Amino acid sequence: MKRLRIKVKPLARPARIALCALAAALLFLAAYAVSGYPAFSPEGALRRAERRALISMRGEILAEVPQMLYNDNQTRFLLVEYGDAAAGFYGVAQDAPLKLGWGAHSSDVFYLFPKSAGGATVAAYPGYPPFRSFEDELLWIAAFDDFPQAVRAELSFTLVPSDSLGFPDAAPVSYALSSEREYAGIFLFSLAAPEENLENSSTSYVLQRLAECVDPWSAQVRASTFAGGVLPTATVVFYDAAGNAIATVETQFAEALV
C-alpha cells in the first residue's frame, strides 16, 4: 500500500518576511514591557515624571547636560522652566536593555521649586547619581534668570558649617564662580569636588549637603549642617556684552516643593 505524502507548499517570500517582522515586533514589545516601559528619549521620560507628579503644565527644557557614567548607564541632567512660577531639575539614566530606553523602573529624580521674585533663582543639583564629592566629580549650580541681555554671570556664596558638626577643620568657605551664557534663561555653574576628599573634611561634607538642600526631605539634615539651620544665600551679578553689571540679585538657594 502506497503511503500518502502531503507536500506543504513553502510560504512565499513576502509572507516569510512579514512573519519574521511580526515575530521581531512581538519580541521587542516583550523586552519593552519587561524593562519597565522606558521612554525613548530624556524628554519623554520627563513628561512621564511630570504626569506622575500631577503637573498639568509642560515644562520648557532650557538645557540638557550629559552626566557622569554610573554602573555603565548614561545619564542626562535636564533643566526645566514652568513659566514665571517654577523651575525644575530632572535626572534620568539610559538603563533599558540595549541602551534603547530612558527611565526604566522609575530610575529618575525630579525636583520642582518655586522661582524667586528677584529675577534669579539659584539651586544646586543633587545629581543623578547623587553628588558625593568624589574626585573629578562636579557639583552643578543653576541660576534661572530674567535678564536675556546678560551674557555672563558671577555667582558667590559662603558655606558656614554648624558648630554641632564636630569637624576639626570646620570653618566658613567662600566660593566665587563665573559662567558664560550657553542656554537661554539660565546660567549653569560647575564646582569641582575638593582634591582631598577626606571623611573628616567639613568642606566635602558641607558640599554634599549643599547638593541635597534642594530636596524637601533634607530639612533636618540641612538644619544640622549650616549655621543657623538656614539655606545658604547666593549673590549673582549679571553682565552685558559690554562688560557692564546690569543687575545684582541676592537670594537663598531654592528648596523643592516635590
Side-chain angles (χ1 to χ4, degrees), residues 9-220:
K9 185 178 180 180
L11 293 175
R13 182 180 177 84
R16 295 199 303 271
I17 293 176
L19 283 176
C20 290
L22 177 60
L26 291 174
L27 287 174
F28 175 80
L29 290 175
Y32 183 71
V34 170
S35 63
Y37 297 99
F40 293 110
S41 68
E43 180 178 358
L46 167 67
R47 302 309 174 199
R48 184 171 57 188
E50 289 174 335
R51 291 192 295 270
R52 287 202 306 262
L54 302 179
I55 300 174
S56 59
M57 185 177 181
R58 287 170 60 91
E60 178 186 356
I61 299 176
L62 302 181
E64 179 180 324
V65 183
Q67 291 292 283
M68 62 178 287
L69 291 174
Y70 183 67
N71 290 342
D72 296 326
N73 296 334
Q74 184 63 46
T75 63
R76 289 290 187 273
F77 165 34
L78 278 64
L79 299 104
V80 195
E81 187 176 58
Y82 297 84
D84 296 330
F89 292 144
Y90 181 66
V92 64
Q94 189 180 35
D95 53 4
L98 303 179
K99 308 298 184 185
L100 295 177
W102 296 83
H105 310 295
S106 299
S107 56
D108 51 8
V109 293
F110 183 44
Y111 296 96
L112 183 69
F113 40 89
K115 296 187 70 175
S116 172
T121 303
V122 177
Y125 175 55
Y128 184 82
F131 176 79
R132 289 292 180 261
S133 65
F134 295 138
E135 185 178 357
D136 298 328
E137 190 178 6
L138 296 177
L139 170 62
W140 295 97
I141 301 175
F144 297 81
D145 72 287
D146 296 329
F147 306 103
Q149 66 274 34
V151 300
R152 184 173 64 89
E154 294 179 350
L155 170 70
S156 60
F157 58 93
T158 299
L159 301 181
V160 184
S162 170
D163 294 336
S164 62
L165 289 180
F167 286 100
D169 66 337
V173 180
S174 297
Y175 297 91
L177 309 175
S178 181
S179 174
E180 301 292 329
R181 173 79 77 185
E182 294 185 66
Y183 311 100
I186 193 171
F187 284 94
L188 194 56
F189 303 86
S190 61
L191 177 61
E195 295 182 2
E196 296 183 1
N197 184 15
L198 304 177
E199 292 184 359
N200 62 344
S201 169
S202 68
T203 302
S204 296
Y205 181 83
V206 174
L207 278 180
Q208 291 178 37
R209 300 291 81 80
L210 176 66
E212 295 175 1
C213 75
V214 70
D215 192 326
W217 301 106
S218 66
Q220 185 174 358

